[in-house]
Amino acid sequence: MKLPLFASAGIGALCAASAVLAIDPIVIKGSKFFNEKTGEQFFFKGIAYQPRTGLTTQNPDPLADTVGCKRDVELFKDLGINSIRVYEVDYNKNHDACMKMLEDAGIYLMLDMPSPKYSINRAQPYWDHDTMSHWAAKVDAFSKYPNLVAWIAGNEVANDKDTTPSAAFVKAAIRDMKAYLKSKGLSTPVGYADNDDMEIRMNLINYFNCGDEETRADFYGINTYRWCGDDATFESSGYSDITKNMTDYTIPSLITEYGCNLVRPRVFHEVESILGSDMSDIFSGAIMYEFTEEDNDYGVVKVSYGSSKVEKTADYENLKEVYAKASPKGVKMSDYKPSGKDSVCPQVSSIWEVKDDILPPTPSSARCKCMMDSLGCTVTKPELTADEGKALGEVIGNICGLTDCKDISYDTSKGVYGNYAACDSVQRSAWALNKNFVNSRYTQCEVDGVDTAIIKSPKQEDADVCLTMKDDMGNIAAPVTPSEDDDEAANDNEDSGSNSSRSRSRSNGDEEDEDSSSDKSSSDTSAGSKSFVGHAAVQLVAGVAALAIAAF
């Protein structure tokens, strides 16, 4: 795999204008990264970079802060790093100045695709057009920079046994974003970063490297904070176990976050193992968390947006020292012969609720619009306030507790996804309202506090036509065909008239941002407990807030 490749005429002109790139392309071969020009193996010697102090906007973007970049790039060079990981940017802003400063300093960028507003909710996951289009816009904004080295499609999304269904949606996102990059003539790798949960970590490791190449992650990251204090060792910290887990892995693995802060100042002895003989045969380096000192006390410097002032913490010199000593001995690309074998997908169990490599569908804005045009009862606003979302969610929860909502539902443990499961939360809600409208003999369309409307003559008379619409990658996806068991379950549910719904509300940490490692989402279901018909999850988004309500 080579990165980056330039597809558009505009980007090609940019490259032609520069006689010599200041930074060499990095390529993947087997389970390792290499400098394409020199053939030397590449190891990440990086730091997480997401300053928050002094932020005056709701969209943090350190790569659009020219003052901050001038200040920090000099510190990056002093620390001896070759890469940064950034979790959140605003793709509408200009990043040319900062990216050029990083490029001139020989520093690569690893960038997360999600943002707090456009991410996969671990408690009630969906992968829809709105989220995909925002990720694609970020790809479009940053793919012109030669020092963009990798994308991360999810950060600690499935973080315990109850949130494993979300892994299927992250993998669907990886599939679609890899396809999007390919359609643009780009091959920047797309990876995943886990939270090193001891119960599900092997399932996650295997899952993101099983199945077709088009759906597998291109690399795998581990966020781990096991190595704490001066007395910890390779064995006592559990780093030896982490290394054993990745032996024979066929894609690159790296530590995407490290830096336990239970004992400060931190001495970072783990770097000696990560970039030394203990781990360098298996891992491709690491990203220390994090550059700036924030409320969570992980920084090596204290800085503020718009200010050139810098105050170093006691951790700064310690990190600089261990990075200066680290000199991993890799293999030449020409001498390296990839080995290992692709992973086997984990089986459904009490701690894993995803069936094989059967993924949610690629979003289809055309299919969802067509469905909306076919409804006789609909929601009139494309976005809802938090109060509207809550009110609508309660109603939808009740509707889908009493009737068949399989077209907007899914069951990852069975590998079944509804025809409109990839539509956005408002569209799915409108579908359910219309279903109730039809069942009530066209009398019930109102929801207190929500603008709804009865459409006497829908634009689309035949809803079946919607299922023939292409997805957002130009493919025609086959409509879902429910099994006989599903139909029987639907009939039993409707005949009984019982409402066994339970609701779960979304916690603030379900966005895939830099602080998600400290956040746990709860779920009260186990594998096999959710029937395809009985489970309808409706994610209602209002601005930066989101409310997810599930009916079982």
Side-chain angles (χ1 to χ4, degrees):
M1 176 177 295
K2 180 178 179 179
L3 52 136
L5 297 175
F6 303 105
S8 72
I11 294 173
L14 175 66
C15 294
S18 178
V20 179
L21 289 177
I23 199 164
D24 294 338
I26 303 300
V27 300
I28 286 178
K29 181 180 180 181
S31 62
K32 303 183 188 299
F33 290 89
F34 291 93
N35 182 308
E36 185 189 42
K37 185 175 180 180
T38 67
E40 298 292 333
Q41 187 175 346
F42 179 81
F43 294 89
F44 288 87
K45 192 186 291 187
I47 198 165
Y49 184 56
Q50 194 73 50
R52 300 179 288 287
T53 299
L55 187 65
T56 59
T57 67
Q58 292 185 342
N59 298 317
D61 189 346
L63 301 181
D65 177 16
T66 305
V67 173
C69 287
K70 288 179 179 178
R71 173 196 66 212
D72 296 337
V73 168
E74 293 305 312
L75 295 169
F76 294 161
K77 292 191 288 186
D78 184 56
L79 283 169
I81 68 171
N82 63 9
S83 50
I84 60 172
R85 177 184 175 186
V86 175
Y87 300 84
E88 188 174 355
V89 295
D90 182 347
Y91 56 76
N92 293 303
K93 295 181 179 179
N94 188 290
H95 305 92
D96 293 350
C98 285
M99 290 301 293
K100 187 63 168 66
M101 283 185 257
L102 291 167
E103 178 189 349
D104 290 343
I107 296 172
Y108 295 89
L109 170 66
M110 178 181 292
L111 185 58
D112 285 44
M113 286 179 166
S115 65
K117 185 176 180 180
Y118 300 104
S119 60
I120 294 171
N121 180 334
R122 67 169 67 93
Q124 295 298 335
Y126 276 95
W127 171 239
D128 57 30
H129 166 76
D130 207 20
T131 303
M132 182 177 172
S133 65
H134 280 83
W135 291 21
K138 189 178 290 187
V139 167
D140 293 343
F142 277 86
S143 289
K144 65 182 180 180
Y145 301 118
N147 50 334
L148 175 69
V149 72
W151 294 101
I152 290 182
N155 186 64
E156 304 183 4
V157 186
N159 63 357
D160 58 29
K161 66 179 182 180
D162 294 323
T163 56
T164 58
S166 64
F169 291 86
V170 175
K171 199 168 182 181
I174 290 175
R175 172 202 63 205
D176 292 340
M177 296 315 298
K178 286 175 66 170
Y180 182 77
L181 284 159
K182 185 177 181 180
S183 74
K184 298 290 184 179
L186 302 164
S187 58
T188 315
V190 182
Y192 178 74
D194 79 13
N195 70 321
D196 194 26
D197 181 87
M198 298 185 73
E199 189 170 30
I200 66 170
R201 63 184 181 188
M202 285 311 303
N203 282 338
L204 286 170
I205 289 168
N206 290 328
Y207 182 65
F208 282 99
N209 190 38
C210 75
D212 296 334
E213 183 178 355
E214 291 77 12
T215 69
R216 295 198 300 263
D218 295 318
F219 65 93
Y220 194 84
I222 299 174
N223 299 344
T224 180
Y225 294 84
R226 299 183 185 202
W227 196 308
C228 299
D230 196 26
D231 296 331
T233 67
F234 180 60
E235 287 77 19
S236 69
S237 65
Y239 267 53
S240 58
D241 295 329
I242 294 175
T243 305
K244 290 176 184 176
N245 292 340
M246 308 310 292
T247 303
D248 294 329
Y249 212 49
T250 56
I251 59 176
S253 54
L254 62 148
I255 304 297
T256 37
E257 286 180 14
Y258 75 91
C260 172
N261 67 348
L262 295 180
V263 181
R264 296 194 75 177
R266 295 177 289 177
V267 290
F268 304 112
H269 287 327
E270 59 263 53
V271 173
E272 299 173 19
S273 286
I274 297 170
L275 294 174
S277 58
D278 288 336
M279 300 174 67
S280 61
D281 284 346
I282 305 296
F283 281 84
S284 296
I287 307 291
M288 196 284 292
Y289 187 86
E290 64 179 319
F291 182 66
T292 57
E293 183 82 337
E294 308 292 345
D295 292 340
N296 54 4
D297 298 327
Y298 279 95
V300 298
V301 299
K302 295 180 181 179
V303 298
S304 180
Y305 270 87
S307 172
S308 58
K309 183 180 178 180
V310 177
E311 180 183 346
K312 298 176 182 177
T313 71
D315 292 353
Y316 184 94
E317 292 298 331
N318 291 341
L319 182 65
K320 177 180 176 180
E321 180 180 354
V322 295
Y323 271 166
K325 291 180 179 178
S327 183
K329 293 178 171 58
V331 61
K332 292 285 289 186
M333 183 165 59
S334 58
D335 296 332
Y336 171 58
K337 294 179 173 54
S339 59
K341 56 185 179 180
D342 295 337
S343 304
V344 176
C345 293
Q347 296 299 300
V348 173
S349 69
S350 61
I351 63 170
W352 186 255
E353 297 186 56
V354 182
K355 181 177 175 63
D356 300 327
D357 195 36
I358 305 174
L359 303 180
T362 299
S364 171
S365 55
R367 174 183 286 195
C368 296
K369 181 181 183 302
C370 177
M371 179 270 287
M372 291 291 286
D373 288 342
S374 73
L375 303 181
C377 170
T378 190
V379 179
T380 60
K381 294 166 59 177
E383 293 189 8
L384 305 174
T385 66
D387 288 341
E388 289 171 334
K390 183 177 180 180
L392 184 57
E394 290 174 352
V395 171
I396 301 306
N398 289 330
I399 291 172
C400 291
L402 292 168
T403 191
D404 172 5
C405 285
K406 63 177 177 288
D407 272 354
I408 58 169
S409 308
Y410 59 81
D411 188 339
T412 58
S413 68
K414 294 180 180 179
V416 185
Y417 301 91
N419 289 323
Y420 302 110
C423 297
D424 68 35
S425 57
V426 175
Q427 292 167 334
R428 296 193 305 272
S429 298
W431 182 96
L433 281 180
N434 186 73
K435 182 67 179 290
N436 187 61
F437 179 63
V438 174
N439 289 348
S440 69
R441 297 184 180 181
Y442 309 100
T443 61
Q444 297 179 14
C445 185
E446 294 183 357
V447 176
D448 290 341
V450 180
D451 292 336
T452 61
I454 294 176
I455 310 299
K456 294 183 178 180
S457 300
K459 295 179 183 179
Q460 180 61 52
E461 296 182 358
D462 184 3
D464 289 341
V465 172
C466 302
L467 303 183
T468 67
M469 299 293 181
K470 293 183 178 180
D471 63 34
D472 290 346
M473 292 307 301
N475 306 307
I476 298 179
V480 170
T481 302
S483 67
E484 292 181 4
D485 291 341
D486 289 330
D487 288 335
E488 290 175 3
N491 293 332
D492 291 342
N493 193 31
E494 294 192 32
D495 290 342
S496 67
S498 65
N499 184 358
S500 59
S501 65
R502 294 176 293 174
S503 66
R504 292 184 295 177
S505 60
R506 177 178 183 174
S507 67
N508 292 331
D510 285 347
E511 302 89 2
E512 305 320 311
D513 63 4
E514 69 274 13
D515 293 325
S516 65
S517 59
S518 63
D519 199 358
K520 293 284 183 181
S521 297
S522 63
S523 174
D524 54 6
T525 61
S526 59
S529 67
K530 293 176 289 188
S531 74
F532 178 51
V533 172
H535 173 244
V538 181
Q539 187 181 34
L540 303 170
V541 181
V544 296
L547 299 172
I549 296 175
F552 295 88

